[in-house]
Amino acid sequence: MKYFSDLLVDLLINQGIEYVCFNPGASFRGIHDSLVHHPDHAVPAILMCCHEEISVAMAHGYYKASGKHMAVLVHANIGLQHASMAIFNAWCDRVPLLVLGGNGPIDAALRRPWIDWIHTSQSIDKILSGYTKWTDMPVSQAATLESVQRALKLCAAEPHAPCYVAIDSAVQEESLADGLSLPAGPVRPERLPALDDQQLAELVTQLMTAQYPVIAIDYAALDDKQAEQLLGIASLTGTAVISRNGRYNVPNTHPLVFQDHDAHLLGECDFLLALEVQDLYGLLANSGQKPHPGLYIATLGTHSLLISSWVADSQKLVCADLVLHANVVASIARIAEAVQASAERCDSTARALVNERIARIAAYKQVRRQALLAQVTQPADGLTIAQALIAIHEAIGHQRWVLTNTGSVTIDTLVRQLWPIERSEAYIGMSGGAGLGYGLGAAIGAAVAHKGTGRLSINLQSDGDLLYTPSALWTLSAYDIPLLVLVINNRLYLNSKQHAERIADLRQRPSDLSNLGTSFLENEVDFVALAKTFDLYSPGSADTPASIQEKIADCLAYMETHGKPALLEIKTL
């Protein structure tokens, strides 16, 4: 006999989904049983987690590293509430997760005493209505099959965001009804078209006539070929490129590429092209600028097509001069062709101006680089985060490394300034929603995507974030996922300490109490002991550049020999 849950697993196989992660729960026991007993060798592999927030974060990191879905199962209303924080991160990060949730029987006559009643919710999906693209709670086999297929289609369409379908536990366990069929194959991506001829002409005219053009790029997620096209545009037009931390877009070592924001570049800018920039006002404000008559702003992307009325992640409104809704990748190819044709018609004077601009931007970047290195190599009363990052890179620079997580804004900013990030797989961005608990799960998910590729997956794991989801170490260890976890342990919630200092200063109060309620200094966590609790290899702690390099070499040798993960604690100021 075949059951409806068997067909749901058939659908996951049909869509090429290789993994499903969950913390087990009775509300999806039918699907769980079908996964365990399915005869097809292509059935998704189960990755068990100890918390739903970890499951969702793993799928989040896996998607950004692979472009593929790791299906997530969550248990009834309680599991959904646990998962909600991580789903919020994915919403803000514009990642299309497929989340399938169990629900108790909507037909009250089918409920078991007590437990089915408290774990059954009417309109269960509305918990997520402010930070998902679409949710549904179907109540029949045919409607459930259609809803899951619709969720897959919406996940494949721009702009991206999570989708959730609640699946009635009683419906899962029904004998399969007649007449239900699967789609012909995996859902195909649905993308907006490139810029049309009129839009392209207007944009390229503004770019070619600008005196000080700047391109800012954030969530476009370019691959290496597309990055080369964008840098070709920049080189032909003498344009500085500001790459923000949504995704990898362009190699940070290129002389025209800068990070996050820049007061000098945007101070003189007269044309700004923003490609999938989520916080355009923040880009300007953090550079000491505001929109003004001398600055022509063009936006290209899909972000503003998906707005929540619950969370203000749409950011402050900037009324651009030219707003273009189109697929960024396809549009870059068209812009590159048009700029090339226009550049070929330029006279020697125009070309000389472009070359002068390129030389000036490159020289400015070199000055900034030297100032940064002078700053971060200053002697300190202990190991700084910057010094730790330099030592880490020296230890792993010979490997084809990938950053699966960069821990915190502080770590992320420094690593993108100090490390050469020159390949599209090397960096996947931050959490999106700045919700702690993302890092370890996302890093594990990304490491699953890179398993067997020969790449070294690195997790620059902040200590405070790890303490939200420490049981993710069980999943890492249990499935031998090759990930090097480097715990950057400053014994602080640093951002909160900084806020404590700022508010005390604003109120003209002493700031020497800023560690109260923000630090672990008087009761430190032993991360090495924690790793060993989960049967995870650790060579101990390091607190100098030399010991970092020595113990990373130890970790790499262990990982190479055993094919298992490792954890090193690095104690910093």
Side-chain angles (χ1 to χ4, degrees), residues 38-53:
H38 202 287
D40 194 324
H41 71 278
V43 65
I46 293 172
L47 298 174
M48 192 180 88
C49 301
C50 301
H51 194 288
E52 286 84 359
E53 186 172 354

Side-chain angles (χ1 to χ4, degrees), residues 45 53 160 224 267 291 299 345 385 388 426 492 537 544:
E53 186 172 354
H160 292 143
D224 295 327
T299 63
R345 297 191 294 270
I385 291 175
L492 289 169
Y537 177 74
T544 66

Side-chain angles (χ1 to χ4, degrees), residues 468-488:
Y468 272 65
T469 53
S471 62
L473 294 174
W474 182 88
T475 301
L476 179 64
S477 174
Y479 296 101
D480 290 336
I481 299 166
L483 174 68
L484 177 57
V485 180
L486 302 173
V487 181
I488 311 298

Side-chain angles (χ1 to χ4, degrees), residues 374-407:
Q375 176 188 352
V376 301
T377 54
Q378 288 288 325
D381 296 329
L383 182 71
T384 67
I385 291 175
Q387 291 165 353
L389 292 173
I390 291 170
I392 292 167
H393 184 260
E394 288 177 356
I396 57 97
H398 63 288
Q399 300 268 353
R400 191 174 178 87
W401 50 264
V402 293
L403 287 167
T404 58
N405 171 48
T406 48

Side-chain angles (χ1 to χ4, degrees), residues 199-388:
Q199 294 169 326
L200 180 67
E202 183 174 357
L203 180 64
V204 171
T205 297
Q206 292 292 337
L207 175 60
M208 297 300 294
T209 57
Q211 296 299 305
Y212 301 105
V214 173
I215 295 173
I217 186 165
D218 198 356
Y219 282 84
L222 304 185
D223 65 22
D224 295 327
K225 179 180 178 181
Q226 295 149 7
E228 186 177 340
Q229 290 176 327
L230 182 63
L231 291 176
I233 295 168
S235 297
L236 287 171
T237 57
T239 300
V241 178
I242 296 178
S243 182
R244 293 170 70 78
N245 67 355
R247 298 289 187 278
Y248 174 90
N249 286 296
V250 287
N252 63 354
T253 53
H254 192 279
L256 295 177
V257 173
F258 296 77
Q259 303 298 317
D260 298 324
H261 51 264
D262 190 278
H264 172 70
L265 294 174
L266 286 172
E268 65 178 16
C269 174
D270 60 348
F271 172 80
L272 173 62
L273 172 58
L275 303 174
E276 289 289 13
V277 174
Q278 190 177 71
D279 184 9
L280 182 53
Y281 183 84
L283 168 66
L284 294 169
N286 289 329
S287 304
Q289 301 297 316
K290 292 182 178 180
H292 57 84
L295 174 61
Y296 186 99
I297 299 175
T299 63
L300 170 57
T302 63
H303 175 72
S304 62
L305 297 178
L306 189 63
I307 300 294
S308 171
S309 58
W310 181 82
V311 58
D313 66 319
S314 53
Q315 306 294 331
K316 185 174 177 64
L317 179 64
V318 174
C319 294
D321 299 277
L322 182 62
V323 178
L324 303 168
H325 293 134
N327 180 268
V328 170
V329 169
S331 296
I332 285 174
R334 293 211 71 197
I335 295 168
E337 292 176 1
V339 166
Q340 177 68 47
S342 181
E344 290 173 356
R345 297 191 294 270
C346 289
D347 58 26
S348 58
T349 301
R351 189 63 230 170
L353 287 172
V354 167
N355 290 336
E356 184 275 332
R357 201 156 61 218
I358 290 172
R360 188 163 51 84
I361 293 169
Y364 171 63
K365 177 170 181 173
Q366 186 62 25
V367 169
R368 281 196 51 175
R369 173 74 177 174
Q370 291 170 348
L372 171 69
L373 292 176
Q375 176 188 352
V376 301
T377 54
Q378 288 288 325
D381 296 329
L383 182 71
T384 67
I385 291 175
Q387 291 165 353

Side-chain angles (χ1 to χ4, degrees), residues 8 13 38 53 78 123 125 132 145 147 210 320 350 353 374 380 433 490 548:
L8 290 176
I13 296 170
H38 202 287
E53 186 172 354
I78 53 172
S123 302
D125 56 317
T132 46
L145 184 62
S147 289
L353 287 172
N490 62 1
I548 288 172

Side-chain angles (χ1 to χ4, degrees), residues 8-187:
L8 290 176
V9 173
D10 289 342
L11 178 60
L12 298 181
I13 296 170
N14 170 273
Q15 295 299 306
I17 293 174
E18 298 175 16
Y19 298 96
V20 57
C21 55
F22 56 76
N23 179 253
S27 66
F28 59 83
R29 69 182 190 182
I31 298 175
H32 191 170
D33 175 78
S34 295
L35 286 165
V36 170
H37 294 103
H38 202 287
D40 194 324
H41 71 278
V43 65
I46 293 172
L47 298 174
M48 192 180 88
C49 301
C50 301
H51 194 288
E52 286 84 359
E53 186 172 354
I54 298 166
S55 300
V56 176
M58 282 179 58
H60 188 163
Y62 178 82
Y63 183 87
K64 289 200 292 185
S66 68
K68 298 187 293 186
H69 286 299
M70 176 185 288
V72 180
L73 300 178
V74 297
H75 171 42
N77 45 23
I78 53 172
L80 185 58
Q81 290 176 89
H82 277 310
S84 62
M85 176 61 251
I87 295 171
F88 173 77
N89 272 338
W91 161 267
C92 294
D93 205 23
R94 293 299 185 261
V95 170
L97 301 183
L98 176 66
V99 183
L100 305 177
N103 195 12
I106 296 301
D107 184 346
L110 300 177
R111 293 177 196 159
R112 296 172 295 159
W114 182 61
I115 195 69
D116 271 354
W117 289 81
I118 61 174
H119 287 173
T120 299
S121 291
Q122 299 288 343
S123 302
I124 187 174
D125 56 317
K126 298 312 175 191
I127 294 174
L128 307 177
S129 61
Y131 45 100
T132 46
K133 191 174 189 180
W134 183 74
T135 65
D136 198 18
M137 194 188 80
V139 293
S140 70
Q141 292 188 33
T144 300
L145 184 62
E146 180 177 315
S147 289
V148 176
Q149 291 182 65
R150 187 185 302 277
L152 285 160
K153 283 180 61 64
L154 288 168
C155 281
E158 293 182 303
H160 292 143
C163 290
Y164 166 82
V165 179
I167 305 178
D168 189 299
S169 59
V171 174
Q172 294 174 43
E173 298 178 23
E174 291 174 353
S175 298
L176 182 62
D178 295 331
L180 298 179
S181 60
L182 297 176
V187 169

